[in-house]
Amino acid sequence: MRLSSILLLLSAFVGIINSQYILVEEFKLQGTSCSGSQSSFDSQSLLDSLISLKSFWGSSHSSSFLKASQSSGEVCPSTSIGGSIVREGVCFQNGEPLPSVYSVSGDTIVRTFYNDTDINCEGKPVDTVTAINGNCYSGCVLDLVITLKLSTVATPVVPTNTAFEAVYTGECNGNFKNSLVSIFYRTLNTCIDNIITPQGLISLEVSCNSTLATENMFGNNDCGGSPIYTSHQPLINQCGDKFNVIDICNN
């Protein structure tokens, strides 16, 4: 079983031959929710969505997130819950409804979405969102207030204390750093708290070892006590015709 939803990196590099990457860091504003509403997702859906290596920015909400969010030069929270690093110009689809591509123009980072059948991102775009390099944006995803920081990096560095999924090209030997396409990661042993569900407040936390990622759900708002649900997912190492995928516990 994959750590993330089925990861499809669908196409060549859309004419982009540089090695610039877009880093999307994700933060949760502690003790906040969107309008105090209960999530329309059940606890299992929240666990699958929040703890997997699928980015919040890569969720089905991403095409409208920045349009409904605010960028006020705010300082991002200090605790990251995860993020992604994606090469500019690569058409990708991380278990999402629509394929998309990142591009950069000056200080502006653009993510362009395409029709769900346009797996090479070559046709007419169906949506475009923009962000300013280095700015923080806050908005609602899964009825949680999430803050994102988008920035460009020449050399991607995987944060420590994370479980991550790397996609790379070339020889399938696990050496992803020299031909990296993308990384999706979750921060380990960090409580994602105060999640409002129809069942009440829950909280989530991820840990891992060399073979498994463990996802714990708690029936409280601070990841205390014994979990009410635990999921174990094996780390994978898969080879493909164009892209290879490897999951790593980087603790």
Side-chain angles (χ1 to χ4, degrees):
M1 181 178 179
R2 294 283 297 273
L3 270 172
S4 69
S5 299
I6 298 174
L7 175 61
L8 299 175
L9 285 162
L10 304 163
S11 96
F13 293 82
V14 195
I16 304 294
I17 59 175
N18 60 37
S19 58
Q20 184 170 227
Y21 291 82
I22 288 77
L23 168 64
V24 182
E25 300 171 89
E26 303 169 357
F27 307 87
K28 180 181 183 296
L29 296 183
Q30 300 299 307
T32 57
S33 61
C34 296
S35 303
S37 62
Q38 287 191 341
S39 172
S40 58
F41 292 76
D42 59 26
S43 298
Q44 182 59 54
S45 296
L46 280 166
L47 182 68
D48 293 341
S49 298
L50 296 173
I51 297 300
S52 73
L53 297 188
K54 185 170 71 173
S55 167
F56 285 114
W57 173 235
S59 73
S60 59
H61 302 263
S62 58
S63 61
S64 59
F65 180 90
L66 289 183
K67 295 176 183 177
S69 65
Q70 57 185 15
S71 175
S72 57
E74 62 192 85
V75 176
C76 279
S78 59
T79 302
S80 170
I81 58 174
S84 59
I85 306 170
V86 180
R87 182 180 289 181
E88 180 188 5
V90 174
C91 182
F92 71 99
Q93 188 173 4
N94 179 35
E96 307 161 26
L98 301 176
S100 64
V101 144
Y102 279 116
S103 60
V104 179
S105 177
D107 288 333
T108 301
I109 297 172
V110 180
R111 188 175 183 188
T112 304
F113 293 84
Y114 294 82
N115 188 282
D116 57 357
T117 60
D118 187 3
I119 62 173
N120 294 318
C121 300
E122 294 175 338
K124 183 179 179 180
V126 297
D127 204 356
T128 300
V129 292
T130 61
I132 301 302
N133 190 359
N135 277 15
C136 292
Y137 296 82
S138 293
C140 291
V141 177
L142 298 177
D143 291 330
L144 298 174
V145 177
I146 299 295
T147 297
L148 301 176
K149 181 181 180 181
L150 284 74
S151 55
T152 58
V153 292
T155 303
V157 177
V158 182
T160 57
N161 193 40
T162 57
F164 69 88
E165 179 172 274
V167 178
Y168 64 103
T169 59
E171 185 178 356
C172 188
N173 56 11
N175 185 15
F176 62 90
K177 295 182 180 180
N178 293 332
S179 56
L180 181 67
V181 175
S182 67
I183 285 176
F184 295 88
Y185 65 90
R186 280 278 161 254
T187 305
L188 300 174
N189 306 312
T190 297
C191 185
I192 304 175
D193 63 358
N194 289 319
I195 301 169
I196 303 173
T197 75
Q199 294 80 22
L201 281 175
I202 65 169
S203 51
L204 304 168
E205 195 171 60
V206 178
S207 61
C208 66
N209 58 33
S210 60
T211 59
L212 292 173
T214 299
E215 310 161 344
N216 287 318
M217 176 191 295
F218 299 86
N220 52 52
N221 65 353
D222 61 2
C223 300
S226 300
I228 60 174
Y229 178 83
T230 297
S231 173
H232 300 287
Q233 300 188 43
L235 305 184
I236 66 165
N237 186 0
Q238 294 180 344
C239 301
D241 293 336
K242 290 184 177 181
F243 301 101
N244 312 308
V245 182
I246 186 169
D247 297 335
I248 294 176
C249 180
N250 190 31
N251 60 359

